[in-house]
Structures are given as C-alpha cells and as structure tokens.
Amino acid sequence: MTSKQATVASFVESAPPGELSNVVADIKALASSETQSLEPAFKKYNEEQYTTVKLPGGSETVLVSKYNSLGDTRYFDTASQTSFDVDHASQKASNPQQHPLDSRNADLIRSLQKSFSTATAEHFPASTIGVFPAESDSAIAILLVASKYSPQNFWNGRWRSTYLLDPLSKSLQGTIKVDVHYYEDGNVRMNTTKKVEIGSGASSADAVVREIAKAENKYQEELNRAFTALAEGSFKGLRRQLPVTRQRVEWEKISGYRLGQDVAGGRQR
Amino acid sequence: MADPFDAALDLLRRLPPSSTQKNLNGIISLRPELEEDLLSSVDVALTSRRCTKSGRDYLCCDYNRDGDSYRSPWSNEFEPPIEPEDAADLIPHGRVRRMEESLNAGFDVYRELYYEGGISSAYLWALDEGFAGVVLFKKTSSAGGSAGKGGWDSIHVLEVNESATKRSAHYKLTSTVILDLGMSSAAVDSLELAGNLTRQTQQDLPLSGLRDAEVEQGHMINIGRMVEDMETRMRNLLQEVYFGKAKDVVGDLRSIQPLSEAERDRAAHKEAISKMNRG
C-alpha cells in the first residue's frame, strides 16, 4: 500500500456513522485515482461497523462482521440460514444461497437468536442482531448494532455491542461501543468504549440475554453520570461561566487593573 | 466533481476532530497545492512559546508567524529573529501596535477572570479602511481520573471597518472554540468528547471621542465586549451540545426504561390528560 492509499484508507476507517458516502465523495474530489484501492478499506469498515444489508428477495436485514464471514466477500445469516455476497462499496447483498446452520451449539444459537431479538426490542427502537458460532465453534458471538441518522439535524449515532459466550464455562464477556457525530457549524465527536465481564452463571438463552440487558443498563446509567462528571469537572475547570466577581468585565475600567497579576488573588502560571 | 478545497473542508468536518492535524497533513499530501489555503482556514489546537524578552508565554498562529519564527505580542519581536526587511513589513507599529498592546493588556485581565490561568494573545494588522486581528486563548485542565482532562482553545478573528465620521465602526467576528474532554474510570472505560464549533456575528458599535487615544480606547472596549459576549454564548452552546445533545443521541439509540413500559406510561399519561380536559 502506498502512503496515499494508506491515507485515504484511514479516512474511510474513521468515517462517522451514516456519512461514509460523504467521505467517499470527498476522497473522490481530492484523489480520484486512489478510490480504486479502497475495496479492502470498505470491507474493513463494514465488518467493524456491523454494516447492515438487506437480504435479496426478502425483508430481513443482516449485519456484516468477521464472525459471519465465509471468506472473501461472502457472509451467512443464522436466522434465515442463507449465505450471500456483499459488494462492500455499495453495501448491497446479492446471490443468496441456502446455508444451514452447522454448529455443535446450534440449539443454543437458535434460542439465543429468539431471546435476544425479543429482549433488544425492549431497549432499542431500531436494531439488528446477529448470533453466530465463533472461535472455531467453541464459542458463540452475540452482536448488536443500532444506528440513528438525522443528517437534516446534523447528527448521527451508532451503538455496537459484541459479546462472546463460552457455552461450556458459561462465561460471558464483551464490549460496548458508542459513536456520536454532531456537525452543525462545527464538528463534535463522542466516542466511548466499555469492556463487559458478566462472569459465569447464565445457562439458558433467556438468562444470558437478561444478564446482557442488565449490564447495558448499568453501563448507560454510568455513562449518563460520566457526562455530568465531565460537565462539572474538567469543563468547568477550563472556563468559568462568569468571573468570581459574578459580573461581566467592565472594559472601560480594565486599564485600571494591574496587568492581571493582582486580579482574583494573583495566580502562578 | 466537487471543488477540492470544499471537499477538504467537508472531510475535516466529518473525520474525528481529535485527528485534525494528522488528517490535514494527509489531505495536503494528496493535494499539495491546497496547503497554504488549508493552513489559513482550518483551526487546530494552539501551541505556545515563551517570550525570552519578557518571560511570558504567548500563543502561535499563522498571523504572528514568518517561516519558523513567531512574533511575541509582549516584546513585539520575532523569535528567532527574522530579516530586517521582512520585519519592517510584519511588525506593527504606531496606532496598530498601540491598540494591539492595549488589547493584550485587557485580555490578560479577562483571561485571569474567566480562565483562572491559561495563556492569551492578540495580534492586529492594518487594513485599508480599518484593521483586522486575531484574539487567542488556551487553557488545559488535567484534574485526571474520573474528573477527566480537557483542553479549550479559542480563536477569534475580527475585522473592523472604520467610517470617516469616527462615530462608529463595523465589527465582524468569526469565533471558533476547540474543546477536547476525556475521562476514564472503572465504570466507563473511556469517554472522549472532542470537537469545535464556529459562530459569526457582526455589529455596528459606537465610538465616543475624537482624539486618537479615545478612538483606540473605544475599539478596545467594543472588541472586548464582543469577544466576551461571543465566548459566553459559545460556552453555553458547547455545554448544550457536548453534554445535552450527545447524551440525548445515546438515549435515542437505546432506552434504559423498557420501551413497552415507556409506551404504557405515555398512554396512561395521555389518558389522564384527556380525562382532565373532559372533566
């Protein structure tokens, strides 16, 4: 990869949710010759962001990830037992074929699919889930992606949950990632990551799914508290709303102050 | 096909603001001819230097730069020194320098009152019918741990058009605040909020007095007030966007309260309201 290819690939990789096409249009205007080399970057983006595609001939949406990759550009879906091709540049699925679920944990995967689907509908107004065999069929990957796009209001957001369940030890661990972009007359990006360890114990699909919902609720509450902590901690410590005198500066009198040294008790820099 | 410069600005508004410098360098490597225009249009976090003559810190930007040298607003000299012919063009004197000194002194007090620390600098240059300038502030906080760390950079670019009557002048202000906040704790592994917002305003403001010193004082007062008003507005806006909007979007993505419960609450609420209206 040349350094120009690496540069445009990194632009794709860090594109905000819902704005990949804008980023690609900008890349085309800056370096149209480099757009040919973006196929691997698109694939990486789609697999990391759990991009959703509509299954051809149906209405189901399926997410794309490394866990349901069959190699090259082919992926499978456990719920509909189909495999399909994905064109990573256009994010479109094609060429569906039957793909029966082949796993020693097939029953658990199917019940997790059902339970997780019901449980996530309770918390996510819109989301796509995926339950797939993982780690050479020794574990089960439970994935969720929820995106909300509001470009007319200049914001977009995406929540991604990734959990790995070990059916033998019953241990459940995962990561939650939230990415929000606000861009009205500016550019503000929020990124948060949280590793989740739910330990062991949950044996049935329903129990696993309940533990996940509990962990996600707890995390979301902590996140809301963290926003407040930042607002009252480092944000306040940067610039006060008003001087300690509780009054705005009297600019006519400002030359009377001695060059800021004696104001508010003086300060070491 | 879109104009490359516009595409570059659009791209920088979409990519993570914490990597603006890196992405700016990347775009310049793709389109070297855009370098000068991009460097003067894109706001990045400010760097500072210590003025060897006065011992005070000052902020660096394109407007006080010549090559690798920067002009200190305290000593009014370039460090490292530059060619005398260039210095003659770039170093302000007379009226512009007097106003620049008075703005730096005024904003030094303002900085202490609002930022309780940090660094401020102002640089002015003459225009045909007035003058222009930039006012900069930088503050970092590293309370650390779960209170987090942060950085605030203000970049105010102003243009003042003076009328022949000297009774008033027209002031244009474009202000950008770059705000980075981050924290990590046991409960939230990592939370990063980074970005910048830009606002513009323009006003006709009065000037009293006819003597030069009075007019210069008038400009300082008008500019001081305008910058203070703008920063106060932007601080409130940033608070709203960073802590209000970002939090709201997370709430839109996922609801802690089960949605069926929320729906039942809403229906019960509607029922109660309509009963009140009927009764």
Side-chain angles (χ1 to χ4, degrees), chain A residues 7-24:
Chain A
T7 299
V8 297
S10 80
F11 292 163
V12 166
E13 200 175 310
S14 55
E19 297 170 50
L20 181 60
S21 54
N22 306 88
V23 168
V24 172

Side-chain angles (χ1 to χ4, degrees), chain A residues 10-138:
Chain A
S10 80
F11 292 163
V12 166
E13 200 175 310
S14 55
E19 297 170 50
L20 181 60
S21 54
N22 306 88
V23 168
V24 172
D26 291 334
I27 293 174
K28 280 207 174 86
L30 290 170
S32 58
S33 54
E34 304 299 332
T35 49
Q36 328 288 19
S37 67
L38 284 175
E39 186 61 34
F42 289 138
K43 179 170 177 191
K44 185 160 184 251
Y45 177 88
N46 288 333
E47 288 186 1
E48 269 175 15
Q49 297 292 322
Y50 298 162
T51 297
T52 53
V53 294
K54 226 193 196 107
L55 279 187
S59 54
E60 296 126 46
T61 34
V62 182
L63 57 83
V64 164
S65 75
K66 65 178 192 205
Y67 297 102
N68 62 331
S69 163
L70 290 169
D72 233 3
T73 54
R74 205 144 176 92
Y75 299 85
F76 69 93
D77 172 44
T78 37
S80 62
Q81 303 202 79
T82 345
S83 69
F84 49 93
D85 263 325
V86 169
D87 174 36
H88 286 291
S90 65
Q91 298 176 335
K92 293 238 171 8
S94 65
N95 194 9
Q97 274 163 32
Q98 281 197 18
H99 186 94
L101 175 58
D102 181 19
S103 159
R104 68 175 84 109
N105 299 308
D107 283 338
L108 184 52
I109 288 178
R110 272 190 276 265
S111 20
L112 278 169
Q113 177 83 36
K114 261 211 215 65
S115 302
F116 200 44
S117 189
T118 313
T120 52
E122 274 299 313
H123 291 284
F124 293 91
S127 65
T128 306
I129 65 160
V131 183
F132 311 112
E135 321 236 305
S136 315
D137 209 23
S138 67

Side-chain angles (χ1 to χ4, degrees), chain B residues 106-240:
Chain B
F107 281 121
D108 191 42
V109 176
Y110 169 91
R111 177 200 47 72
E112 194 54 45
L113 287 170
Y114 278 98
Y115 291 91
E116 298 179 323
I119 309 173
S120 61
S121 299
Y123 305 105
L124 298 182
W125 57 95
L127 294 177
D128 285 337
E129 312 232 320
F131 61 96
V134 65
V135 178
L136 310 168
F137 298 98
K138 185 178 183 75
K139 174 83 189 289
T140 53
S141 89
S142 42
S146 46
K149 59 163 177 56
W152 171 302
D153 292 64
S154 295
I155 299 164
H156 302 277
V157 181
L158 57 110
E159 192 185 306
V160 182
N161 298 114
E162 304 180 87
S163 63
T165 63
K166 292 196 186 182
R167 289 295 175 81
S168 70
H170 188 75
Y171 300 81
K172 279 192 229 169
L173 183 64
T174 302
S175 302
T176 301
V177 175
I178 300 172
L179 178 62
D180 278 14
L181 294 166
M183 68 171 281
S184 73
S185 66
V188 174
D189 285 353
S190 104
L191 169 59
E192 310 249 308
L193 272 163
N196 55 74
L197 291 178
T198 299
R199 286 296 180 274
Q200 286 181 315
T201 184
Q202 42 183 321
Q203 290 178 278
D204 281 304
L205 294 170
L207 292 164
S208 56
L210 293 168
R211 288 186 295 124
D212 283 349
E214 290 170 329
V215 171
E216 287 164 27
Q217 165 88 332
H219 280 308
M220 193 269 283
I221 292 170
N222 289 339
I223 293 169
R225 280 210 194 104
M226 235 179 143
V227 167
E228 181 178 24
D229 285 348
M230 178 64 103
E231 286 211 330
T232 301
R233 266 214 318 273
M234 291 191 78
R235 188 193 183 278
N236 292 338
L237 178 65
L238 285 161
Q239 178 143 11
E240 208 181 284

Side-chain angles (χ1 to χ4, degrees), chain A residues 19 26 30 122-123 185 187 189 191 194-195 217 220 234 237 239-240 248-249 251-252 259 267, chain B residues 10 14-15 31 108 110 112 114 139 147 189 192 194-196 198 225 229 235 254-255 258-260:
Chain A
E19 297 170 50
D26 291 334
L30 290 170
E122 274 299 313
H123 291 284
D185 288 322
N187 178 6
R189 194 83 172 257
N191 257 302
K194 169 79 181 143
K195 278 206 174 62
N217 277 350
Q220 201 172 346
S234 21
R239 187 188 181 281
R240 303 176 62 99
R248 314 261 281 200
V249 170
W251 289 96
E252 302 88 339
L259 286 178
R267 189 165 305 279
Chain B
D10 185 75
R14 301 193 187 268
L15 297 180
R31 288 277 186 156
D108 191 42
Y110 169 91
E112 194 54 45
Y114 278 98
K139 174 83 189 289
D189 285 353
E192 310 249 308
N196 55 74
T198 299
R225 280 210 194 104
D229 285 348
R235 188 193 183 278
R254 185 182 187 279
S255 163
L259 291 170
S260 55

